[in-house]
């Protein structure tokens, strides 16, 4: 009994170590706070399309999260830790191979602008949980805090024409012409502008600050647009219960039956190995007697052997006999044919007796 206790105590630390190794595996859209140690999982607010052939829950969303832009001039659509589920086409300044990875966008004057590509790694800025999307559409050449500002609207249109590759003659006024000898006196008065190359073009990005809301009556997600100081960086504030820290639930790789099987296997190994070592070193046993509780197992083996012999002997009586003599008549077998009844059987017996008498007289 003590050996069984030792076996279980040896098995439990091994299982604990294996479970701790599994917990080190990092899942997307999750993070642990470096200060408080709380675990954050944003997967509940990640909107995905239902798989084909599966039943769709009643509360499943069929569109991404949205936020009103108010005085900015455009409303925003975004998703968390994944691309938006809307089908986007003709995204300004973004290759068509990356349209499916856009995680936030807005539409203005019939055009779609990306404000960040997919990112499933939230980070902490101090005590703030932040999700950042980068590498969106190119930023305007002239910073503007609103799409509706009349003073900056012309510059915004100029920058958008540069993005879509509009090389009209009207754009020539926006770039300095090659100076001539007659214009030497005016060179110092003209501002010099250089076109921005693709390698140095700034691109739109998004910063989402996630705040915890524990009110059970609050909506699942409430997103507010905070500001965009230069139409290049967009700041949002999202309130959700998913941003409340909790305890990480370890994913069990084995079921209850598998865990019990592992414990039983380890206990048996420790019992056999430990028992053999004890019987050999302490009791000075050799051969099969080194096994723990040898007399018990030998008695069980003997009992099983006796039962097999008894059952085998009982079954052998039901098998047809192929050796020795068999009585002729009454359904007996002679010469491989069925015995005859009645008169034929008596005639066979008389014939056999007469034959034996003749042989005896000779």
């Amino acid at each position: 009994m003590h050996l069984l206790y030792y076996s279980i105590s040896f098995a439990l630390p091994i299982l604990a170590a294996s479970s701790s190794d599994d917990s080190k595996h990092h899942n997307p859209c999750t993070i642990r706070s470096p200060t408080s140690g709380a675990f954050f999982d944003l997967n509940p607010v990640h909107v995905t399309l239902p798989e084909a052939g599966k039943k769709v829950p009643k509360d499943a969303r069929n569109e991404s999260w949205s936020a009103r832009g108010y005085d900015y001039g455009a409303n925003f659509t975004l998703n968390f830790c994944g691309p938006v589920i809307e089908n986007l086409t003709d995204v300004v300044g973004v290759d068509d191979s990356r349209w499916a990875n856009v995680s936030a966008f807005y539409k203005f004057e019939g055009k779609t602008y990306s404000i960040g590509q997919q990112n499933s790694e939230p980070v902490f800025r101090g005590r703030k949980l932040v999700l950042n999307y980068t590498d969106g559409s190119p930023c305007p050449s002239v910073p503007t805090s609103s799409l509706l500002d009349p003073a900056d609207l012309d510059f915004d249109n100029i920058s958008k024409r540069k993005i879509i590759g509009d090389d009209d003659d009207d754009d020539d006024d926006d770039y300095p012409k090659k100076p001539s000898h007659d214009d030497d006196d005016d060179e110092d008065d003209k501002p010099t502008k250089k076109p921005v190359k693709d390698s140095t073009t700034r691109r739109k990005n998004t910063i989402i600050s996630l705040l915890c809301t524990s009110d059970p009556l609050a909506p699942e997600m409430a997103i507010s647009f905070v500001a965009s100081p230069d139409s290049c960086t967009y700041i949002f504030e999202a309130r959700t219960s998913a941003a409340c820290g909790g305890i990480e639930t370890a994913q069990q790789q084995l079921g209850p039956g598998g865990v019990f099987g592992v414990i039983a296997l380890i206990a048996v190994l420790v019992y056999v190995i430990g028992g053999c070592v004890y019987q050999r070193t302490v009791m000075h046993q050799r051969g099969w007697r080194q096994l723990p509780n040898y007399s018990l197992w030998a008695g069980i083996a003997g009992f099983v052997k006796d039962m097999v012999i008894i059952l085998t002997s009982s079954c052998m009586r039901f098998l047809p006999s192929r050796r020795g003599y068999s009585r002729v008549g009454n359904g007996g077998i002679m010469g491989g044919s069925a015995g005859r009844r009645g008169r034929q059987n008596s005639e066979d017996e008389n014939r056999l007796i007469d034959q034996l008498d003749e042989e005896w007289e000779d």
Side-chain angles (χ1 to χ4, degrees), residues 66-128:
S66 60
R68 297 189 61 181
Y70 295 101
D71 58 340
Y72 185 76
N75 295 329
F76 303 92
T77 303
L78 62 160
N79 198 359
F80 292 87
C81 300
V84 293
I85 62 176
E86 287 76 11
N87 186 18
L88 300 182
T89 57
D90 298 330
V91 182
V92 176
V94 179
D95 297 337
D96 54 356
S97 60
R98 298 192 300 160
W99 291 349
N101 292 330
V102 175
S103 290
F105 72 94
Y106 69 89
K107 292 185 176 181
F108 181 71
E109 294 183 351
K111 297 180 181 180
T112 303
Y113 294 87
S114 168
I115 57 175
Q117 294 286 314
Q118 174 185 354
N119 179 26
S120 59
E121 298 295 334
V123 295
F124 270 95
R125 303 299 182 197
R127 301 179 66 90
K128 293 287 186 180

Side-chain angles (χ1 to χ4, degrees), residues 25-175:
H25 179 69
H26 177 68
N27 295 324
C29 209
T30 60
I31 190 173
R32 184 180 297 278
S33 173
T35 55
S36 63
F39 180 75
F40 295 85
D41 186 2
L42 301 181
N43 286 290
V45 294
H46 170 48
V47 182
T48 57
L49 289 173
E51 297 182 4
K54 289 189 176 182
K55 186 178 179 180
V56 181
K58 295 181 179 180
D59 56 347
R61 292 183 60 88
N62 56 2
E63 60 181 0
S64 302
W65 305 103
S66 60
R68 297 189 61 181
Y70 295 101
D71 58 340
Y72 185 76
N75 295 329
F76 303 92
T77 303
L78 62 160
N79 198 359
F80 292 87
C81 300
V84 293
I85 62 176
E86 287 76 11
N87 186 18
L88 300 182
T89 57
D90 298 330
V91 182
V92 176
V94 179
D95 297 337
D96 54 356
S97 60
R98 298 192 300 160
W99 291 349
N101 292 330
V102 175
S103 290
F105 72 94
Y106 69 89
K107 292 185 176 181
F108 181 71
E109 294 183 351
K111 297 180 181 180
T112 303
Y113 294 87
S114 168
I115 57 175
Q117 294 286 314
Q118 174 185 354
N119 179 26
S120 59
E121 298 295 334
V123 295
F124 270 95
R125 303 299 182 197
R127 301 179 66 90
K128 293 287 186 180
L129 179 60
V130 176
L131 188 62
N132 189 20
Y133 298 146
T134 58
D135 204 18
S137 298
C139 299
S141 58
V142 178
T144 172
S145 61
S146 175
L147 296 176
L148 297 179
D149 191 351
D152 296 335
L153 190 57
D154 294 335
F155 293 102
D156 193 27
N157 291 334
I158 291 173
S159 63
K160 285 185 283 186
R161 287 201 301 270
K162 297 303 178 185
I163 294 171
I164 63 177
D166 188 4
D167 295 329
D168 295 338
D169 295 336
D170 297 340
D171 295 340
D172 294 338
D173 297 336
D174 298 325
Y175 295 95

